[in-house]
Structures are given as structure tokens and as C-alpha cells.
Amino acid sequence: KYKDYYFTRCPIIKDTEVNCKIMHASKTGEAEEIQLVPDTITAGHPTITKDNLKLYFSSNLDGGYGGKDIWMVERESKKSDWGEPVNLGPDVNTIGDEVFPYIHEDGSLYFSSNGKPGMGGLDIFSSLYKENYWGNVSNLKFPINSEGDDFGIVFEGLNNRGFFTSNRKGGKGGDDIYQF
């Protein structure tokens, strides 16, 4: 079904993690870095729209609101180069970290934040795009969110089920994958 894959690569040089980069691989080819940010900046957690024309990611790129923010790049066609990163704005981003964006097939955005009021460290939020901006940000609350870190939500198509990651109490240890 999928021909293109987008993922984060964080190289380790001499036991030190250097800036993470977003990579692209086709089903038949080698992985290549997508040059979205300068080498001195980290970028990760890519999610792409169904039409493959908008890519959302988390980065500590200059011009953000603090920590890591959610950014978007666009292109005119699948063969075009990506444009300049655009910050999703203050309704989504905070002085904390916004990470692990996910674009649902219905067009809504899901992400994790430790800068918005929540139940624990990272909580999962949703946002809707209306009238040219991302707003109506909502905390998914319990049972998705917990007193721990909750992040990396994905859905099975348009179904109201999927997976997320959490280090909540009662798991097997560290970060565990949960189904909902």
C-alpha cells in the first residue's frame, strides 16, 4: 500500500547523539535526508498528509515559541521540493515541547505537549484546522492521558482505534505501546 516512508534518524557519534534528521525512503531505494532545517537544528517525528503534499514535524528551529514546536512544510506536487517551514502558531505551540505530531485521515492534528495544562509530563492533544489556523486544542484526557508521558498516537485509518506510547504506571517498564 505505501511506497514512501518518512522517519527520524538520530545518529550517535562517539557516544553522543547529534541532531536528529527526517529521512525519506521509497520501497525500493536507500534512505535520504530531507533537508528541511539547518544541520545545527534537530527535526523529527514526521507525519505526512494523505495527498503527500504537507509534512508536519517537531523541531527546535529558530522562530518558535520555545523548546520544540510543531512545524509544517508544503510542496506543489510529489516531485516538487519542500517549501520553507511554517510554525503552527501559539494555539498549538508553547514554551515547552510539542512533539510527535500525527495527521489523522480526517485532517485533524494530534500531538504531545509538556507545555499545556495536563495530567502528567507529556499529554496527547488534538487540534482542528479552521479559517487558516490550527486551533480548538483539546486534551484527550483519561484514559488516553495519564500521570506519565503519553505520546506517539496513531489511528487505524478513519477508525476510532489505534495505538499510543506511555510510561504510565502498570506497564511492563519504560515506554510501552497501548491499544485503544
Side-chain angles (χ1 to χ4, degrees):
K1 180 179 175 183
Y2 296 103
K3 295 180 184 177
D4 293 293
Y5 301 90
Y6 296 87
F7 61 95
T8 304
R9 179 176 286 164
C10 300
I12 297 176
I13 299 173
K14 296 182 182 177
D15 297 328
T16 303
E17 184 178 297
V18 295
N19 292 319
C20 299
K21 301 296 177 191
I22 295 175
M23 307 295 289
H24 169 259
S26 64
K27 200 172 186 177
T28 58
E30 292 286 322
E32 297 178 352
E33 179 184 341
I34 300 176
Q35 199 68 40
L36 299 176
V37 300
D39 286 338
T40 57
I41 304 295
T42 196
H45 315 146
T47 184
I48 194 159
T49 55
K50 192 174 181 176
D51 63 7
N52 287 306
L53 299 180
K54 291 181 182 176
L55 181 109
Y56 294 81
F57 63 99
S58 179
S59 179
N60 61 343
L61 193 60
D62 289 342
Y65 292 87
K68 294 179 181 82
D69 284 1
I70 307 294
W71 298 79
M72 183 270 300
V73 290
E74 218 170 344
R75 60 185 177 183
E76 292 182 21
S77 73
K78 291 179 186 179
K79 296 183 180 188
S80 300
D81 290 336
W82 293 104
E84 292 296 315
V86 174
N87 189 289
L88 295 195
D91 286 345
V92 169
N93 295 308
T94 68
I95 61 170
D97 288 325
E98 282 68 46
V99 291
F100 297 99
Y102 175 78
I103 294 292
H104 193 284
E105 283 190 30
D106 69 7
S108 55
L109 169 70
Y110 290 82
F111 64 97
S112 291
S113 175
N114 63 10
K116 293 186 174 299
M119 298 179 65
L122 288 170
D123 273 12
I124 300 173
F125 294 82
S126 66
S127 180
L128 300 174
Y129 189 77
K130 289 187 178 179
E131 300 176 15
N132 295 321
Y133 79 97
W134 287 98
N136 196 24
V137 176
S138 299
N139 185 307
L140 296 191
K141 300 183 181 169
F142 181 82
I144 299 293
N145 287 317
S146 69
E147 72 285 348
D149 291 326
D150 306 296
F151 57 96
I153 195 166
V154 295
F155 288 81
E156 294 178 5
L158 289 171
N159 297 315
N160 196 19
R161 67 176 182 250
F163 303 90
F164 66 95
T165 306
S166 180
N167 64 1
R168 64 185 62 201
K169 292 177 185 172
K172 299 291 182 184
D175 296 330
D176 295 319
I177 298 172
Y178 291 82
Q179 183 177 11
F180 65 92

